[in-house]
């Protein structure tokens, strides 16, 4: 069974930093090519793609976030990370980790492209 478990969400003040983690089990060992991404969903809004990284280390970001967010992958720990800095109240959302087989592709931002999801971790940024 594939499981994704996020952690690291917290309440911070504007300008602060956080690092989210997502550990995946029973997936990276089974597939040679895969990608894992971070999405977020604020109340009343659609889920949006934040960043993605694949098994070869190729990464993509949402244009509006690439200067403040960094995705990374520790294969030995089967874990991906999302480092966020200069957080703004607009970054407040539930952050989800997702996974699928295959390399990073043009449709990486679309939630329906992913087969496996975690339960999410809440990030709240106050002014």
């Amino acid at each position: 069974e594939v499981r994704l478990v996020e952690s690291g969400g917290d309440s911070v003040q504007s300008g602060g930093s956080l690092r989210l983690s997502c550990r995946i089990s029973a997936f990276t060992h089974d597939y040679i090519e895969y990608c894992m991404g971070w999405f977020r969903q604020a109340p009343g809004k659609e889920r949006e793609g934040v960043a993605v990284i694949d098994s070869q280390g190729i990464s993509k970001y949402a244009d509006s976030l690439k200067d403040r967010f960094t995705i990374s992958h520790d294969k030995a720990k089967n874990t991906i990370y999302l480092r966020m800095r200069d957080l703004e109240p607009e970054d407040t959302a539930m952050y989800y980790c997702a996974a699928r087989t295959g390399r990073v592709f043009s449709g990486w931002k679309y939630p329906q492209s992913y087969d496996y999801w975690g339960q999410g971790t809440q990030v709240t940024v106050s002014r």
Side-chain angles (χ1 to χ4, degrees), residues 100-112:
R100 56 163 283 154
T101 56
R103 302 282 302 276
V104 169
F105 66 115
S106 59
W108 72 267
K109 295 180 182 179
Y110 302 105
Q112 59 266 33

Side-chain angles (χ1 to χ4, degrees), residues 23-89:
R23 189 176 188 283
I24 186 169
S25 61
F27 185 75
T28 57
H29 291 160
D30 296 336
Y31 299 99
I32 296 175
E33 295 186 338
Y34 56 86
C35 59
M36 297 176 66
W38 286 100
F39 288 75
R40 68 183 186 182
Q41 188 167 18
K45 295 188 177 181
E46 294 186 352
R47 192 168 297 190
E48 63 174 345
V50 173
V52 67
I53 190 165
D54 71 12
S55 48
Q56 302 302 310
I58 304 299
S59 60
K60 299 286 186 183
Y61 294 88
D63 288 341
S64 63
L65 301 175
K66 61 184 178 181
D67 292 334
R68 298 187 294 118
F69 289 14
T70 303
I71 191 170
S72 60
H73 184 196
D74 186 332
K75 290 188 176 181
K77 296 182 178 179
N78 293 329
T79 300
I80 66 167
Y81 303 96
L82 183 69
R83 185 173 294 278
M84 308 182 293
R85 63 177 180 85
D86 297 329
L87 285 163
E88 304 167 352

